[in-house]
Amino acid sequence: EPEVTQTPSHQVTQMGQEVILRCVPISNHLYFYWYRQILGQKVEFLVSFYNNEISEKSEIFDDQFSVERPDGSNFTLKIRSTKLEDSAMYFCASSAASGTGSEKLFFGSGTQLSVL
Amino acid sequence: GNSVTQMEGPVTLSEEAFLTINCTYTATGYPSLFWYVQYPGEGLQLLLKATKADDKGSNKGFEATYRKETTSFHLEKGSVQVSDSAVYFCALSGSGTASKLTFGTGTRLQVTL
């Protein structure tokens, strides 16, 4: 089965530093997402992206966050100035379609971000 | 808003035991319901889904029935194997908000010989 690939698997950074989390979605997919899970808490939706723009975002996704599809294959999440509370597992996902509420999302294995 | 509540883990079972992981939800409209599974070192994978009331999703011996009257989507398997050890996530998506899955906290299942 095709896979969503995320790099790095672990990222350690100092508070206030910028980080970029990278994802390679499945090649023929059109919809891209970021979710995160803080340790012991629920997996939370951050943002969805389609046709080179954000289609939906959550309250968590504030001005410190941005997403980009720089080259037609990668999908990145940037955190401009990391805070301790940004420490979490970040999951990238992609899907071939959207809008029906029942399509299958394919998730990557996650990037564990630790902010010190 | 939408929310999902699933039973606390970890759940530890012997091989061939019966599994139930409870999941209840709160949502407006008619959500689709999902179970995702995360094996060690891997991403979340869709295990099964149901898109309307009384639908039963099934895959790999796992089943869950969409119960609107009890707002539940409990995951069951008649005989678990060691290879089923993983974290199981219940999730829903609201009508027309297909990209925005609302997840439960996940339930870790450990199956022993």
Side-chain angles (χ1 to χ4, degrees):
Chain A
E1 190 167 67
E3 290 184 344
V4 174
T5 306
Q6 288 187 245
T7 54
S9 56
H10 293 87
Q11 174 87 49
V12 180
T13 190
Q14 297 291 323
M15 190 169 57
Q17 294 296 303
E18 174 183 287
V19 294
I20 297 176
L21 309 183
R22 302 181 191 280
C23 170
V24 179
I26 292 169
S27 61
N28 61 344
H29 283 185
L30 301 176
Y31 298 84
F32 313 109
Y33 316 87
W34 284 99
Y35 288 77
R36 79 173 186 188
Q37 185 179 29
I38 296 171
L39 187 63
Q41 299 185 23
K42 298 184 177 186
V43 177
E44 303 170 292
F45 169 80
L46 293 179
V47 66
S48 61
F49 190 85
Y50 169 71
N51 200 26
N52 282 321
E53 60 182 28
I54 291 172
S55 50
E56 190 171 358
K57 62 182 181 179
S58 71
E59 294 174 352
I60 303 167
F61 196 88
D62 62 21
D63 292 344
Q64 292 298 314
F65 291 87
S66 63
V67 290
E68 192 178 29
R69 189 154 161 79
D71 56 13
S73 62
N74 291 283
F75 180 52
T76 61
L77 175 69
K78 182 193 290 186
I79 308 175
R80 241 173 240 107
S81 177
T82 50
K83 303 189 280 284
L84 295 176
E85 54 265 36
D86 294 328
S87 296
M89 178 72 84
Y90 288 80
F91 293 104
C92 174
S94 68
S95 68
S98 181
T100 65
S102 62
E103 72 279 357
K104 180 176 180 178
L105 266 64
F106 291 77
F107 284 83
S109 55
T111 294
Q112 180 65 54
L113 176 65
S114 298
V115 182
L116 305 178
Chain B
N2 295 341
S3 68
V4 174
T5 303
Q6 59 182 109
M7 63 188 288
E8 295 281 334
V11 174
T12 302
L13 294 174
S14 298
E15 202 171 44
E16 299 183 2
F18 184 86
L19 168 72
T20 300
I21 300 178
N22 290 336
C23 171
T24 57
Y25 67 90
T26 303
T28 55
Y30 302 94
S32 293
L33 302 174
F34 306 83
W35 278 99
Y36 278 82
V37 58
Q38 185 178 29
Y39 299 103
E42 299 183 18
L44 295 161
Q45 302 173 25
L46 179 64
L47 180 60
L48 54 84
K49 70 179 184 184
T51 58
K52 61 183 188 297
D54 300 325
D55 265 4
K56 179 187 282 189
S58 60
N59 186 25
K60 299 181 181 179
F62 291 89
E63 293 182 340
T65 301
Y66 189 141
R67 300 284 188 203
K68 192 165 176 61
E69 64 276 13
T70 55
T71 61
S72 65
F73 193 55
H74 304 321
L75 183 68
E76 296 181 334
K77 186 174 185 182
S79 176
V80 293
Q81 305 300 311
V82 172
S83 56
D84 294 326
S85 299
V87 182
Y88 293 81
F89 293 89
C90 185
L92 68 82
S93 70
S95 307
T97 58
S99 59
K100 189 175 177 180
L101 288 172
T102 300
F103 283 90
T105 50
T107 302
R108 181 174 298 279
L109 170 66
Q110 183 70 45
V111 181
T112 59
L113 291 171

